[in-house]
């Protein structure tokens, strides 16, 4: 059977960032010091022991990337090797076994291929979100690593993370909470970081913001990152700057945007501490960036009890972020030749 024949009849352009059950997922198990081969399965329910360390002690990590359909129907991944690298940096931090690179990358290919019918078509504004995850299962009570682990990859067609027409301008509110301690797990993609951030996001949204913005936990001065994305700032002197911090997730999108700003826009780029209050007046444009967020311009930021506009009206997209967005999405959709080897085609 040619899977390509059976595209699902979804209202692709209306999709939000929500779970949609697709047909297949990949599951592999690590036990007694080794991984089994893993396989594609249909069941989306994971049945695990009530004593599983993933549930009690958050021995769990995950990744996120997207597959896009190009204008000529190819299915493209963006830098999946970096997701593999990041999961295999995270796993040992919480005493989990690494996933062999080949298994990680093949599992993604297999799941995308098997769910071809669920990959949003070119031009729909939607994409196939891919969620690799690694969880500590098996039976345990004391604080110690699991004896058994599951590596799973599932996918879901998704629309924009921040719902809007076109390029979303979002707002951020500085959180009173810390996301991560300086030598904690902030730079690792562990679920525990996100549980701690749920209330910060809720409080930001109560203020009318799209998402929380965290400052560094030591001095509460320097920008760290948003709840689900890194931050980039275009300054009035024509530079693109991004926070240097050990407590933030090393975003693949942000690393790519810094390269594009330098190579394609001819900007000076710098990774350094950014003092929010002292430097705010030098901000020309800002954006949150990540796999889910793509590049979402930040129009205004709430701090010290009031809103501070970056763009005059807090709502218009500036030219640098528009250019960067066009470059990034153009590359991810296969419309712009990139020359970096970032885009990987899935042979469907
Ligand atoms: N920061 C946080 C906390 C995130 O959850 C994400 C999403 O993965 C990012 C940054 C962006 O990282 P990436 O661009 O690799 O998706
Ligand atoms: C992603 O962008 O892939 C993430 O993991 C962020 C998540 C909060 C959706």
């Amino acid at each position: 059977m040619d899977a390509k024949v059976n595209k699902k009849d979804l209202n692709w352009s209306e999709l939000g960032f929500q779970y949609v059950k697709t047909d297949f997922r990949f599951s592999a198990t690590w036990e007694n010091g080794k991984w089994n081969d893993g396989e594609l399965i249909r069941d989306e329910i994971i049945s695990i022991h009530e004593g599983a360390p993933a549930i009690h002690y958050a021995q769990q990590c995950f990744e996120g990337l997207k597959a896009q359909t190009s204008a000529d129907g190819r299915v493209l991944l963006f830098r999946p090797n970096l997701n593999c690298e990041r999961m295999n940096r995270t796993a040992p931090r919480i005493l989990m076994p690494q996933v062999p690179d080949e298994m990680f990358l093949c599992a993604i290919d297999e799941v995308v291929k098997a769910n071809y019918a669920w990959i949003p078509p070119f031009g729909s504004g939607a994409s196939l979100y891919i969620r690799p995850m690694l969880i500590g299962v098996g039976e345990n009570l004391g604080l110690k690593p699991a004896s058994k682990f599951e590596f799973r990859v599932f996918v879901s067609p998704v629309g924009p993370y921040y719902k809007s027409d076109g390029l979303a301008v979002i707002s951020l509110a500085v959180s009173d909470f810390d996301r991560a301690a300086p030598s904690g797990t902030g730079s690792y993609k562990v679920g525990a970081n996100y549980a701690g951030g749920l209330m910060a996001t809720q409080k930001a949204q109560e203020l009318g913001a799209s998402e929380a913005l965290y400052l560094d936990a030591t001095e509460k001065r320097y920008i760290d990152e948003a709840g689900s994305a890194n931050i980039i700032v275009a300054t009035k002197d024509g530079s693109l700057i991004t926070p240097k911090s050990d407590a933030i997730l090393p975003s693949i999108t942000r690393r790519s945007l810094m390269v594009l700003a330098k190579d394609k826009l001819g900007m000076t780029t710098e990774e350094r501490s950014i003092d929010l209050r002292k430097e705010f007046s030098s901000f020309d444009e800002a954006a949150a960036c990540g796999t889910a967020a793509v590049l979402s311009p930040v129009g205004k930021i709430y701090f010290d009890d009031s809103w501070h506009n970056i763009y005059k009206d807090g709502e218009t997209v500036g030219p640098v972020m528009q250019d960067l967005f066009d470059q990034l999405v153009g590359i991810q959709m296969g419309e712009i030749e990139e020359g970096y080897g970032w885009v990987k085609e899935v042979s469907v």
Side-chain angles (χ1 to χ4, degrees), residues 215-224 274-278:
L215 301 183
D216 75 285
T218 312
E219 297 187 62
K220 301 266 194 186
R221 280 174 59 188
Y222 302 104
I223 297 178
D224 256 352
I274 304 172
D275 188 320
L276 176 66
R277 294 176 188 84
K278 264 199 187 153

Side-chain angles (χ1 to χ4, degrees), residues 274-287:
I274 304 172
D275 188 320
L276 176 66
R277 294 176 188 84
K278 264 199 187 153
E279 299 191 52
F280 189 80
S281 61
S282 72
F283 291 5
D284 208 16
E285 301 180 36

